[in-house]
Amino acid sequence: MGSLWHGFADMGAVERDGAFVVARGEGAYIWDEGGTQYLDATGGLWFANVGHGRREIAEAVAAQLTQVAHYSNFGDLVSPVTRDLAERLSALAPVPGSKVFFTSGGSDGVDTAAKLARRYWQEMGRPEKTILVGRQKAYHGMHVGGTSLAGIPVNGEGYTGVFMPDTRTIEWDQAKALTALIEELGADRIAAFFAEPIIGAGGVYLPPEGYLTEVRKICRDNDILFVADEVVTGFGRIGGSWFASSRFGLEPDLMTTAKGLTSGYVPMGAVFIAPHIAEPFFSGGTWWRHGYTYGGHAGAAAAAMANLDIFERENLLDASKNLESLLHEHFSPLADHPRVAEVRSGLGAVAAVQLADPAEALPFVKTLRVHGVSTRAAGQGALQISPSFVITEAQVAEMADRFSRALG
């Protein structure tokens, strides 16, 4: 028996069938231990935006580690590269002048935003505003706060008690559901509303036309903080913009990011905090006793800086916008197959092939490997498609063809 306990896995099945070992990657491809090549349909896990095998990022990290690997960012401490990255990110923020709080990843970011939302209302003299609202199908990481906020019930099964009682879940696609909850509970009790612009791990669900703008207005009109969870959509995955919040003019009070920040080369996340939320904490005399040992890790910051350099030099935001249309063009015809219920695509550099029988999804992942594609199941019976932005049109077409052949 192996010693590694995999995340999100039936370990009995892994022990029985063996692990799929990814030995190396380059561009839009990965290879297993035996040297077999696969098109990487998931971009690692939504994150390999600049592609695999970027020596430039590895060299930037190595150079930083020879100077100082990391030093805590608590109190008044900071390393030059972390300071510079914060300034660079603030200049990209959908809300000008945003502050940047670094984390070790997306789950950290969601819990950071959850805590800060409540603490902000305390500082504003409104301690009764404690309830955090999420949506059905939504995924917000696997920390206690994120698990409670998410709309994927199976992720919370098997535990005694309630992780975080002051949370509510509403329909994912109806703005009026938020209005109804406000009428039920009272706006004076709700601290924040969390929304993925595109629901990711819950199955790749695109927002209905006008939905994001409408819920943003509802939050603004009712003095409820709007938290954009852009761990998936951030850093180009939305297609053509750095963030969905920029593309749709959402001006979030808080925005969580991770994954594409370093393209997955080193774990790192960043929470963007609008100036009016940060102001009570920057005016002096107020401590926010929160932080992570590796938040703003110098080596990770160096990876992020090199990653952003690649984005800008190679115009990868334009590439992601092109990928948005390519995925829709090449994958939407699969909706006509009798084993496919629908294909969700057309917004962002993402797509999902929804199988008619959700029970087929996990075995179909292995079938696709036989055809040279690596993907994963998401939501209830969906197959995730979120490749690197460096993928070519020919590779997208080949990937779709391999999906078609695997469907039979």
Side-chain angles (χ1 to χ4, degrees):
M1 296 180 70
S3 300
L4 176 63
W5 191 335
H6 298 244
F8 286 91
D10 175 349
M11 286 310 302
V14 175
E15 288 290 305
R16 182 188 67 239
D17 301 333
F20 177 61
V21 182
V22 179
R24 70 182 184 95
E26 182 177 342
Y29 290 106
I30 58 171
W31 284 260
D32 66 20
E33 278 188 314
T36 302
Q37 183 190 71
Y38 306 83
L39 280 163
D40 179 14
T42 62
L45 190 60
W46 317 95
F47 56 66
N49 295 359
V50 302
H52 299 288
R54 292 285 194 158
R55 183 175 294 273
E56 177 181 340
I57 298 179
E59 290 175 347
V61 174
Q64 178 60 48
L65 299 188
T66 61
Q67 297 178 54
V68 59
H70 181 47
Y71 210 85
S72 163
N73 291 316
F74 293 178
D76 62 352
L77 301 168
V78 69
S79 60
V81 68
T82 302
R83 177 198 60 206
D84 293 346
L85 177 61
E87 295 301 325
R88 188 171 184 178
L89 293 178
S90 182
L92 300 178
V95 178
S98 289
K99 305 300 183 182
V100 179
F101 189 97
F102 288 114
T103 72
S104 301
S107 293
D108 285 355
V110 169
D111 273 29
T112 294
K115 290 176 67 176
L116 182 55
R118 288 182 169 177
R119 181 62 193 277
Y120 169 78
W121 289 120
Q122 287 276 347
E123 291 302 313
M124 299 302 290
R126 303 180 67 180
E128 71 282 358
K129 290 176 73 69
T130 61
I131 295 174
L132 306 174
V133 181
R135 299 185 295 159
Q136 293 173 354
K137 303 183 186 298
Y139 178 83
H140 295 296
M142 292 310 299
H143 290 352
V144 167
T147 302
S148 301
L149 272 168
I152 306 175
V154 67
N155 286 350
E157 290 180 359
Y159 303 97
T160 301
V162 179
F163 282 140
M164 196 171 174
D166 281 355
T167 57
R168 300 292 189 277
T169 304
I170 61 174
E171 290 88 344
W172 73 275
D173 58 348
Q174 300 177 36
K176 65 182 181 181
L178 179 56
T179 301
L181 184 69
I182 293 169
E183 291 174 351
E184 175 191 345
L185 300 178
D188 59 343
R189 295 183 57 201
I190 300 175
F193 173 65
F194 285 68
E196 295 174 278
I198 294 176
I199 286 176
V204 189
Y205 287 90
L206 312 182
E209 184 72 27
Y211 173 84
L212 294 172
T213 301
E214 188 172 357
V215 291
R216 180 64 185 101
K217 183 177 186 302
I218 291 169
C219 288
R220 187 178 286 113
D221 290 347
N222 289 278
D223 223 8
I224 294 168
L225 301 189
F226 181 83
V227 184
D229 185 345
E230 297 222 34
V231 171
V232 168
T233 53
F235 299 100
R237 184 61 64 182
I238 189 58
S241 299
W242 285 110
F243 308 104
S245 294
S246 302
R247 180 168 176 172
F248 295 108
L250 301 179
E251 298 183 342
D253 299 297
L254 299 164
M255 182 177 73
T256 62
T257 68
K259 297 188 184 294
L261 172 56
T262 67
S263 283
Y265 279 74
V266 182
M268 190 179 211
V271 180
F272 290 68
I273 300 130
H276 64 282
I277 303 298
E279 194 278 331
F281 303 92
F282 276 69
S283 59
T286 300
W287 284 57
W288 186 34
R289 298 182 185 276
H290 177 79
Y292 301 97
T293 298
Y294 299 118
H297 190 282
M305 292 289 271
N307 179 60
L308 294 174
D309 288 344
I310 292 170
F311 258 91
E312 294 174 355
R313 185 177 67 244
E314 299 184 9
N315 298 314
L316 291 186
L317 289 183
D318 291 341
S320 72
K321 182 63 175 176
N322 188 48
L323 184 55
E324 173 180 279
S325 59
L326 288 178
L327 292 178
H328 184 64
E329 175 187 348
H330 290 283
F331 278 89
S332 58
L334 295 181
D336 294 332
H337 195 284
R339 294 175 65 187
V340 176
E342 67 173 349
V343 173
R344 296 185 283 275
S345 61
L347 176 65
V350 297
V353 176
Q354 177 69 49
L355 297 180
D357 181 0
E360 286 191 345
L362 288 176
F364 193 74
V365 166
K366 294 187 177 182
T367 300
L368 273 169
R369 288 177 190 162
V370 175
H371 290 269
V373 176
S374 174
T375 188
R376 67 188 286 266
Q380 297 297 309
L383 301 168
Q384 176 184 330
I385 305 162
S386 54
S388 302
F389 303 162
V390 298
I391 195 169
T392 66
E393 181 171 4
Q395 289 170 332
V396 172
E398 178 63 21
M399 186 187 298
D401 182 65
R402 294 182 187 188
F403 264 78
S404 181
R405 281 185 275 141
L407 286 165

